[in-house]
């Protein structure tokens, strides 16, 4: 039986407000709350909520035979909690069905996998902690930002304990091979690879409403026929699309939601089943190893990472940002750490792309800026203020090794103080519970305990509290 897995991506960055050079050092709030509220609320009403409700209906109407996967970034979750909390409740309902698998990823939908392995691992942990807390699930399958992947990233993903990763079925990597099989990583053989089928995904995402397309109109039975007619030996078809495609790029009046609801019925007639990525991996064996020496992604015709690292502007911004990584992660300033998360979103660098439409790029269509240079200038102004705040806490004159040593000493001292406080508390309790036969009054003993000489066991001395009676008054002769 042919297996099909739908993946729906949800991501929203915290968009930056217009930030001038003269704001540096004076304004530490960087975000366009109005734009964030308006965009997220609009997409929720036109796309996210109707699509989530459609998925719930598909699961119910198919007697739970319809299954799919959802990938959602941490920054999207935070904005949805802030502006459209009812959608979070719908996601919880989807999780409760047991028919929707939530994927792991990076919190900020950032590029740390290309720039800073330690930050990459930290971001994944933050993301998965949120998934566990909100939806009660621990993700088992990993999907990086825009499906970015190569052999080095594979070793990082495997090192975090993941057994499966979703990435792009790029033609220049596969060659003559089909993406409709389960593969394994050449650099981390224990890691299984699920590859997306771009053509069949684009037939929905790009061509469903395209009247110039030679297959227009696309109907549910026609689409299922295409899936069923694939070679019998091909194991699984992975269809990866942005959730905002449904209802936003493809409006409701195009019939896209009706198309989706009809798929399970025709699939059952043709012997096509819907599945989750974990179910696929559980029942299939890899057919071959795939080596990816250079990073790939699901963006643009090139399917590489030039959308974010293709010019000097982007590389300058990325270099400046990640140069602060070690110091930011050492600090305890919650606001600074939050800005660090939000500034990593890949969208900020995507807007700086100078690729043109001939390259298959459509960056300008998604950018709130007039030009890539305006995006770069605005971001660098924000980043300059952010760096000033980081250096206020950890001056640039102190190198990272010295800074680590100082902070380690401070933390050790804090831990020692906590231990001493615990010892004093224990001793006070012992005094309060002392036998009534004790000659000294308890209040006096407690007072002595407050002043007692309590040293850390690390220094080789045991805690000691000395209490003595007051000398008796001499009798007058």
């Amino acid at each position: 039986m042919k297996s099909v897995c739908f993946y729906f991506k949800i991501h929203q960055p915290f968009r930056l407000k217009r930030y001038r050079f003269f704001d540096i050092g004076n304004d530490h709030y960087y975000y366009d709350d109005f734009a964030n509220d308006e965009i997220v609320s609009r997409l929720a009403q036109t796309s996210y909520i109707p699509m989530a409700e459609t998925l719930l209906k598909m699961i119910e109407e198919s007697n739970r035979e319809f299954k799919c996967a959802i990938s959602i970034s941490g920054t999207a979750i935070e904005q949805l909690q802030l502006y459209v909390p009812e959608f979070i409740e719908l996601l919880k309902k989807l999780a409760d069905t047991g028919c929707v698998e939530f994927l792991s990823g990076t919190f900020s939908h950032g590029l740390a996998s290309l720039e800073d392995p330690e930050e990459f691992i930290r971001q994944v942990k933050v993301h998965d902690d949120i998934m566990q807390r909100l939806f009660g699930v621990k993700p088992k399958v990993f999907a990086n930002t825009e499906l970015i992947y190569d052999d080095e990233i594979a070793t990082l993903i495997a090192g975090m304990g993941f057994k499966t990763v979703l990435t792009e079925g790029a033609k220049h990597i596969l060659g003559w091979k089909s993406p409709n099989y389960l593969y394994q990583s050449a650099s981390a053989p224990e890691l299984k690879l699920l590859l997306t089928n771009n053509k069949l995904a684009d037939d929905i995402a790009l061509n469903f409403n395209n009247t110039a397309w030679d297959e227009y109109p696309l109907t549910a039975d026609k689409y299922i026929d295409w899936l069923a007619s694939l070679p019998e030996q091909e194991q699984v078809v992975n269809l990866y699309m942005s959730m905002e495609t449904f209802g936003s790029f493809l409006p409701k009046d195009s019939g896209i939601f009706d198309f989706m609801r009809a798929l399970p019925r025709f699939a059952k007639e043709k012997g096509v089943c819907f599945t989750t990525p974990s179910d696929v991996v559980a029942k299939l064996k890899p057919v071959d190893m795939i080596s990816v020496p250079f990073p790939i992604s699901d963006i643009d015709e090139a399917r590489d990472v030039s959308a974010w690292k293709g010019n000097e502007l982007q590389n300058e911004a990325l270099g400046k940002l990640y140069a602060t990584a070690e110091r930011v992660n050492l600090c305890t300033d919650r606001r600074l750490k939050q800005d660090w998360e939000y500034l990593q979103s890949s969208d900020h660098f995507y807007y700086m792309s100078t690729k043109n439409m001939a390259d298959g790029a459509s960056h300008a269509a998604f950018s709130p800026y007039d030009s890539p240079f305006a995006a770069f200038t605005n971001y660098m102004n924000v980043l300059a203020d952010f760096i000033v705040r980081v250096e206020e806490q950890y001056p640039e004159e102190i190198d990272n090794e010295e800074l680590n040593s100082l902070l380690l000493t401070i933390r050790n001292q804090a831990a020692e103080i906590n231990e001493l406080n615990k010892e004093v508390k224990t001793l006070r309790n012992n005094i309060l519970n002392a036998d009534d036969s004790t000659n000294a009054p308890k209040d006096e003993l407690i007072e002595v305990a407050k002043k007692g000489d309590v040293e850390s066991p690390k220094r080789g001395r045991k805690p000691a509290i000395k209490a003595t009676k007051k000398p008796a008054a001499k009798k007058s002769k």
Side-chain angles (χ1 to χ4, degrees):
M1 181 177 282
K2 192 73 62 187
S3 295
V4 178
C5 187
F6 275 98
Y7 302 80
F8 302 104
K9 178 189 76 174
I10 304 171
H11 166 61
Q12 290 298 324
F14 278 86
R15 294 162 183 81
L16 302 176
K17 66 183 180 183
R18 293 298 188 268
Y19 194 89
R20 303 169 301 166
F21 174 80
F22 300 103
D23 293 326
I24 299 172
N26 298 313
D27 182 1
H28 303 320
Y29 190 78
Y30 311 135
Y31 312 105
D32 189 339
D33 291 335
F34 177 80
N36 290 326
D37 186 353
E38 190 276 326
I39 292 171
V40 171
S41 297
R42 172 169 48 82
L43 287 175
Q45 297 306 318
T46 59
S47 296
Y48 299 157
I49 291 176
M51 189 57 184
E53 291 173 342
T54 299
L55 294 177
L56 285 168
K57 289 175 183 176
M58 292 168 71
I59 292 168
E60 181 184 356
E61 293 169 356
S62 66
N63 196 25
R64 304 172 71 86
E65 290 183 1
F66 178 77
K67 298 180 180 181
C68 65
I70 290 177
S71 170
I72 181 168
S73 69
T75 53
I77 288 175
E78 287 196 357
Q79 290 189 70
L80 289 163
Q81 285 178 313
L82 188 61
Y83 302 122
V84 199
E86 60 267 34
F87 179 66
I88 297 294
E89 294 305 312
L90 281 173
L91 290 179
K92 290 179 181 179
K93 288 182 180 180
L94 286 169
D96 291 342
T97 65
C99 298
V100 177
E101 181 170 1
F102 286 83
L103 306 187
S104 177
T106 56
F107 173 85
S108 65
H109 202 68
L111 303 172
S113 60
L114 300 172
E115 301 293 326
D116 189 328
E118 290 184 6
E119 175 61 20
F120 174 58
I121 293 169
R122 189 196 67 80
Q123 285 246 342
V124 174
K125 184 179 185 305
V126 172
H127 175 275
D128 289 359
D129 286 346
I130 291 175
M131 303 303 290
Q132 180 78 55
R133 187 173 68 252
L134 269 185
F135 307 118
V137 296
K138 183 178 181 181
K140 299 177 181 177
V141 177
F142 187 81
N144 198 11
T145 301
E146 304 300 345
L147 304 186
I148 293 172
Y149 174 88
D150 67 12
D151 289 340
E152 288 187 16
I153 296 172
T155 59
L156 293 174
I157 296 170
M160 288 185 278
F162 292 102
K163 302 298 182 184
T164 311
V165 63
L166 175 70
T167 190
E168 179 70 12
K171 291 180 181 178
H172 67 281
I173 295 297
L174 284 172
W176 56 269
K177 297 174 183 177
S178 167
N180 303 330
Y181 291 94
L182 183 66
Y183 293 92
Q184 64 188 123
S185 168
S187 60
E190 69 276 20
L191 188 67
K192 296 179 176 63
L193 304 181
L194 291 166
L195 306 180
T196 60
N197 187 311
N198 299 315
K199 182 186 180 304
L200 286 169
D202 288 347
D203 284 341
I204 297 176
L206 299 182
N207 293 321
F208 182 83
N209 209 24
N210 179 13
T211 56
W213 185 37
D214 56 4
E215 294 288 350
Y216 182 86
L218 180 63
T219 58
D221 57 337
K222 182 193 291 187
Y223 192 74
I224 292 296
D225 281 343
W226 291 348
L227 294 172
S229 63
L230 290 170
E232 184 178 349
Q233 66 272 22
E234 295 193 1
Q235 303 167 315
V236 58
V237 180
N238 297 297
L239 304 172
Y240 182 77
M241 289 171 274
S242 174
M243 188 175 279
E244 62 196 60
T245 297
F246 303 87
S248 181
F249 299 119
L250 300 175
K252 181 180 179 180
D253 58 15
S254 69
I256 187 61
F257 296 114
D258 296 327
F259 167 85
M260 291 298 296
R261 284 185 65 178
L263 288 177
R265 176 165 60 88
F266 289 106
K268 189 171 184 178
E269 293 174 1
K270 296 290 184 178
V272 174
C273 73
F274 296 97
T275 185
T276 62
S278 287
D279 287 345
V280 169
V281 174
K283 67 182 181 181
L284 298 179
K285 293 183 178 180
V287 298
D288 199 2
M289 284 189 174
I290 297 288
S291 177
V292 184
F294 304 103
I296 59 174
S297 77
D298 71 333
I299 295 294
D300 300 342
E301 289 292 329
R303 297 294 195 251
D304 58 13
V305 294
S306 59
W308 309 279
K309 291 174 65 69
N311 62 44
E312 292 182 8
L313 303 178
Q314 294 166 311
N315 290 317
E316 172 72 10
L318 281 166
K320 290 282 189 183
L321 175 66
Y322 283 99
T324 67
E326 192 164 5
R327 290 168 186 261
V328 172
N329 286 323
L330 288 171
C331 82
T332 56
D333 186 323
R334 184 174 174 275
R335 178 72 177 277
L336 200 64
K337 282 182 172 291
Q338 184 183 63
D339 291 335
W340 167 243
E341 303 278 14
Y342 296 168
L343 291 176
Q344 287 188 67
S345 290
S346 59
D347 309 69
H348 304 309
F349 309 98
Y350 185 83
Y351 301 148
M352 300 176 197
S353 176
T354 51
K355 297 176 73 171
N356 57 46
M357 294 300 291
D359 299 318
S362 56
H363 301 240
F366 298 96
S367 177
Y369 300 97
D370 296 332
S371 70
F373 307 100
F376 172 76
T377 300
N378 199 69
Y379 184 84
M380 293 305 285
N381 286 341
V382 168
L383 187 57
D385 183 80
F386 177 76
I387 292 173
V388 168
R389 291 164 58 206
V390 173
E391 291 180 354
E392 283 177 353
Q393 294 205 22
Y394 305 116
E396 198 172 11
E397 293 77 25
I398 305 176
D399 62 39
N400 287 336
E401 187 175 346
E402 183 182 357
L403 186 59
N404 273 323
S405 177
L406 290 171
L407 289 172
L408 182 61
T409 300
I410 292 169
R411 287 169 184 163
N412 285 341
Q413 288 175 344
E416 186 174 332
I417 290 170
N418 286 334
E419 288 299 316
L420 292 173
N421 285 334
K422 289 178 183 177
E423 291 175 10
V424 171
K425 185 176 180 180
T426 300
L427 290 166
R428 287 177 185 167
N429 290 335
N430 290 340
I431 293 168
L432 289 171
N433 296 326
D435 293 335
D436 292 337
S437 60
T438 304
N439 293 326
K442 291 180 181 178
D443 289 344
E444 182 180 340
L445 289 171
I446 293 171
E447 186 64 29
V448 174
K450 291 180 180 177
K451 301 176 181 178
D453 178 18
V454 182
E455 291 201 34
S456 169
K458 295 178 183 177
R459 297 180 182 174
R461 294 179 60 183
K462 295 182 180 180
I465 294 181
K466 297 180 181 179
T468 59
K469 296 181 184 179
K470 290 183 180 179
K474 293 183 179 179
K475 296 181 180 178
S476 58
K477 292 181 181 181

